[in-house]
């Protein structure tokens, strides 16, 4: 094998090595993260938890500190995840990372999965009635057809 071939990214050959789980603090996203953690443990993959910080142009235009508010959500999520990982460290050993991206949830997760070279994406089922009009993030990810997507209820 040449040096070039050895370092080339290859998706889907021996099971997932990087599993991206989208979290936003909702019940379904936390269940998705737990499911993804189990999958990462069994596959010896890296669990990459991604929070997409929404960009709220209206609030920002009115002087509302939107970045501070979404930053606090991200900080709260990472603290909750660290706490859970600490409680379970003697039972299960899961390698995990936490990343934040900015934008709408769909485009943020697509960017995250591309940048992190995801082999699989896990998301929670939508808890919003609004997805009927624009399509849920999960459905849009599945339709994109770029990664195996697991939707956790």
């Amino acid at each position: 094998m040449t040096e070039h071939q050895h370092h080339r990214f290859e998706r889907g050959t021996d099971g997932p090595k990087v599993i991206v789980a989208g979290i936003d603090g909702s019940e379904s996203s936390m269940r998705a993260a737990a499911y993804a953690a189990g999958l990462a443990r069994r596959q010896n993959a890296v669990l990459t938890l991604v929070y997409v910080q929404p960009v709220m142009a209206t609030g920002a235009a009115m002087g509302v500190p939107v970045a501070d508010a979404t930053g606090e959500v991200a900080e709260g999520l990472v603290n909750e995840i660290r706490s859970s990982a600490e409680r379970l460290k003697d039972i299960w050993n899961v390698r995990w990372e936490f990343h934040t991206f900015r934008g709408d949830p769909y485009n943020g997760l697509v960017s995250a999965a591309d940048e992190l070279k995801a082999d699989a994406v896990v998301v929670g089922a939508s808890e919003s009635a609004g997805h009927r009009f624009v399509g849920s993030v999960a459905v849009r990810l599945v339709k994109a057809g770029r990664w195996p997507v697991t939707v956790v209820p």
Side-chain angles (χ1 to χ4, degrees):
M1 181 176 283
T2 68
E3 185 70 24
H4 176 70
Q5 289 173 325
H6 180 67
H7 293 311
R8 203 174 80 193
F9 175 66
E10 187 176 10
R11 177 177 282 133
T13 55
D14 296 324
K17 295 297 177 202
V18 177
I19 299 170
V20 168
I23 60 172
D24 61 9
S26 67
E27 291 269 336
S28 67
S29 78
M30 298 313 270
R31 285 191 300 270
Y35 180 90
L39 182 60
R41 179 184 57 81
R42 289 186 298 279
Q43 296 289 330
N44 195 30
V46 174
L47 171 62
T48 306
L49 300 165
V50 173
Y51 169 63
V52 179
Q53 295 183 10
V55 177
M56 296 179 231
T58 306
M62 296 172 59
V64 177
V66 174
D68 292 343
T70 59
E72 288 174 20
V73 171
E75 188 175 315
L77 287 170
V78 79
N79 288 336
E80 186 176 337
I81 294 160
R82 278 197 181 111
S83 172
S84 295
E86 186 64 29
R87 282 192 311 271
L88 298 173
K89 74 176 183 177
D90 294 330
I91 300 168
W92 292 313
N93 185 19
V94 176
R95 295 175 298 136
W96 65 278
E97 303 171 348
F98 181 82
H99 297 269
T100 60
F101 287 78
R102 295 186 63 80
D104 67 276
Y106 171 75
N107 287 315
L109 284 172
V110 167
S111 295
D114 282 345
E115 185 175 314
L116 300 168
K117 297 188 180 355
D119 294 305
V121 177
V122 180
V123 293
S126 176
E127 295 180 351
S128 167
H131 75 266
R132 291 185 187 109
F133 300 108
V134 293
S136 72
V137 172
V139 169
R140 292 172 67 194
L141 287 168
V142 169
K143 285 183 177 180
R146 294 167 63 183
W147 319 268
V149 177
T150 301
V151 183
V152 178

